[in-house]
Amino acid sequence: TGATGSGSFVWVTPMVVTRGQLFTASNVVYRGATSQTASSFTWSAISPAFGTGTNASVVVLSDPDPSGTAPLRLYAGTGSGVWTTDDALAANPTWTDVSSGAGSGRVSDIATEPGNPAVVYALHSTFGTAKLYKSTNSGANWSAIGNGLPVVPANSVVVDTSDAQRLFVGSDIGVYESTDGGANFSPMLLGMPPGSVISDLEISADTHALIAATYGSGAWRMDLRPLGDRIFKNGFDP
């Protein structure tokens, strides 16, 4: 594919696809139309360089809502902070540094409320208690939340697609659940090997299930339907 230019790419390069566009990043965010062929694929830089060195590299891009025709808000989490644009589909998007108040350390994940990207969560893979932050105004102001999360690095955060008050955080020792918008969390570990390192969490829309990817222990699934058994199952068998 066409070169994405220079910059500091992280080992697992962030990438999201929405509205016919593919986004990726080093310390610069790039965009390319999915209608292009692989042999002639070209990228356009759509952000300034967020700095130099490892801390400026984009670790994660938010998973934007593909619905509607409104401007596409996108967040980029770096090794040291959070940036956002209110229209990632514009010819030359304007980016704003919204790191102030969003905590310190490497931003491991960013999640937005489905259908309302002004509500955003920034997660840090740091030790200590303050690792999850919430904004209700697109990052202009942040609040530290996450009472009950363990004092180990946290790697993934996701918002339930059918209940905006329900959040899941994947940490180095398992999955934790909140039912009050992230204020408080409790362990959600039944059926999963003790001490599982959770590398990623996703919500499966078709079956409304939580999918947990682990480091070295495979993939696990939990049914999120109201009558679900709330026990993780190994793999994807029924």
Side-chain angles (χ1 to χ4, degrees), residues 2-21:
T4 53
S6 60
S8 302
F9 288 87
V10 294
W11 178 253
V12 180
T13 302
M15 187 174 292
V16 292
V17 181
T18 188
R19 303 191 198 176
Q21 298 291 327

Side-chain angles (χ1 to χ4, degrees), residues 120-133:
V120 56
Y121 300 86
L123 187 68
H124 295 268
S125 59
T126 57
F127 288 93
T129 55
K131 56 175 56 67
L132 181 62
Y133 292 80

Side-chain angles (χ1 to χ4, degrees), residues 45-71:
I46 62 165
S47 81
F50 296 139
T52 59
T54 303
N55 284 345
S57 300
V58 176
V59 177
V60 63
L61 295 168
S62 61
D63 194 4
D65 187 350
S67 62
T69 57

Side-chain angles (χ1 to χ4, degrees), residues 101 130-134 142-147 182-183:
K131 56 175 56 67
L132 181 62
Y133 292 80
K134 179 179 182 178
W142 297 88
S143 299
I145 57 174
N147 181 53

Side-chain angles (χ1 to χ4, degrees), residues 180-214:
D180 57 7
N184 299 282
F185 283 82
S186 58
M188 195 178 187
L189 310 174
L190 290 179
M192 188 175 289
S196 294
V197 178
I198 310 301
S199 57
D200 196 17
L201 293 173
E202 297 290 344
I203 301 290
S204 171
D206 291 342
T207 58
H208 196 210
L210 176 67
I211 310 299
T214 71

Side-chain angles (χ1 to χ4, degrees), residues 127-186:
F127 288 93
T129 55
K131 56 175 56 67
L132 181 62
Y133 292 80
K134 179 179 182 178
S135 173
T136 59
N137 53 10
S138 305
N141 303 101
W142 297 88
S143 299
I145 57 174
N147 181 53
L149 289 175
V151 290
V152 298
N155 309 309
S156 184
V157 58
V158 66
V159 184
D160 194 342
T161 52
S162 63
D163 182 357
Q165 292 299 301
R166 195 179 189 190
L167 276 72
F168 305 95
V169 166
S171 76
D172 275 6
I173 58 171
V175 180
Y176 287 73
E177 176 191 24
S178 171
T179 58
D180 57 7
N184 299 282
F185 283 82
S186 58

